[in-house]
């Protein structure tokens, strides 16, 4: 019983540390993708935290068409290391074969997509709460989240009829996020896990 609790605590710690760092790397990737203000205090924190691993990786992996490929590769590598560490902690022995490496890659890709969608969900939630609590007030964090989510919500806003002051795009967006998690991310995760 004690060993099982210890194992669960260790898995929780591994998952929390890796997921937090991966979210910050994805946040930085999205900031560059949407050309956000990098002088924003929240962006500066993300830069300071990710630079130690990202700067050396950028020497090996250059950007492509203004996309920070190194950030995506770093997030994918970290996700793979996290999953491998969790498997080892659970007592699984993963033999390095082509199938297991491919499975770990596919599983990591699915988990990364899921983590991105969860981040998008919380960014939407933060924006919605801030618009109710402090409507019209400028907040640097909310401004960054708005910059990230607007490319996702603007096409939804164009399709939805005008409801005046009410914006239903976040509600529809959250529905699309959860649908994407169920239809795309979860099957990728289960397929990759099955290969291992």
């Amino acid at each position: 019983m004690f060993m099982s609790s210890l194992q669960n605590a260790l898995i929780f710690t591994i998952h929390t540390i890796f997921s937090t760092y991966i979210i910050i790397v994805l946040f930085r990737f999205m900031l560059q993708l949407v050309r956000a203000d990098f002088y924003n205090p929240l962006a500066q924190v993300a830069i300071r935290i990710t630079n130690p691993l990202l700067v050396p990786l950028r020497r090996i992996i250059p950007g492509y068409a203004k996309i920070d490929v190194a950030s995506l590769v770093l997030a994918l590598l970290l996700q793979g290391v996290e999953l491998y560490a969790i498997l080892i902690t659970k007592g699984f022995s993963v033999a390095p074969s082509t199938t297991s490496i491919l499975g770990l890659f596919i599983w990591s890709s699915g988990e990364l997509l899921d983590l991105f969608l969860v981040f998008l969900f919380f960014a939407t939630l933060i924006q919605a709460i801030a618009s109710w609590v402090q409507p019209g007030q400028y907040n640097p964090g909310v401004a960054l989240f708005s910059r990230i989510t607007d490319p996702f919500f603007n096409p939804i806003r164009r399709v939805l009829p005008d409801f005046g002051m009410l914006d239903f795009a976040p509600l529809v967006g959250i529905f699309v996020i959860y649908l994407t998690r169920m239809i795309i991310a979860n099957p990728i995760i289960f397929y990759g896990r099955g290969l291992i």
Side-chain angles (χ1 to χ4, degrees):
M1 182 69 178
F2 174 73
M3 289 306 289
S4 175
S5 297
L6 196 63
Q7 184 187 59
N8 288 339
L10 185 57
I11 289 169
F12 174 74
T13 305
I14 291 168
H15 178 68
T16 302
I17 291 169
F18 273 91
S19 294
T20 303
Y21 195 82
I22 291 166
I23 285 173
I24 295 169
V25 172
L26 286 175
F27 179 61
R28 181 169 177 172
F29 168 77
M30 288 182 274
L31 289 177
Q32 189 164 355
L33 196 64
V34 298
R35 309 287 183 260
D37 176 19
F38 272 85
Y39 293 104
N40 186 298
L42 204 55
Q44 286 295 311
V45 169
I47 290 168
R48 282 194 208 104
I49 291 172
T50 56
N51 266 352
L53 292 180
L54 202 52
V55 169
L57 194 61
R58 278 193 178 144
R59 292 188 192 117
I60 304 165
I61 303 168
Y64 175 75
K66 296 184 180 179
I67 294 175
D68 186 13
V69 180
S71 292
L72 283 180
V73 170
L74 177 62
L76 190 61
L77 286 172
L78 290 170
Q79 188 66 65
V81 170
E82 176 197 344
L83 294 176
Y84 188 76
I86 288 172
L87 286 173
I88 296 298
T89 305
K90 285 184 174 180
F92 292 100
S93 60
V94 182
S97 67
T98 307
T99 308
S100 63
I101 292 170
L102 179 64
L104 191 62
F105 173 76
I106 292 170
W107 186 9
S108 299
S109 301
E111 290 285 352
L112 198 61
L113 175 61
D114 192 58
L115 202 57
F116 167 75
L117 292 168
V118 168
F119 174 83
L120 200 57
F121 167 76
F122 280 108
T124 305
L125 202 61
I126 289 167
Q127 275 184 269
I129 292 169
S131 71
W132 297 332
V133 175
Q134 290 182 321
Q137 297 280 334
Y138 176 78
N139 182 301
V142 175
L144 275 185
F145 289 134
S146 177
R147 184 86 176 160
I148 289 168
T149 57
D150 276 351
F152 176 64
F153 291 134
N154 285 341
I156 297 171
R157 286 185 182 110
R158 283 194 289 272
V159 172
L160 288 177
D162 186 15
F163 292 103
M165 300 244 338
L166 295 173
D167 184 13
F168 287 103
L171 192 61
V172 174
I174 287 171
F175 173 77
V176 170
I177 288 168
Y178 269 92
L179 207 59
T180 307
R181 288 183 75 193
M182 285 188 279
I183 293 173
I184 299 174
N186 286 344
I188 293 171
I189 291 167
F190 290 132
Y191 180 70
R193 200 182 292 167
L195 290 175
I196 295 174

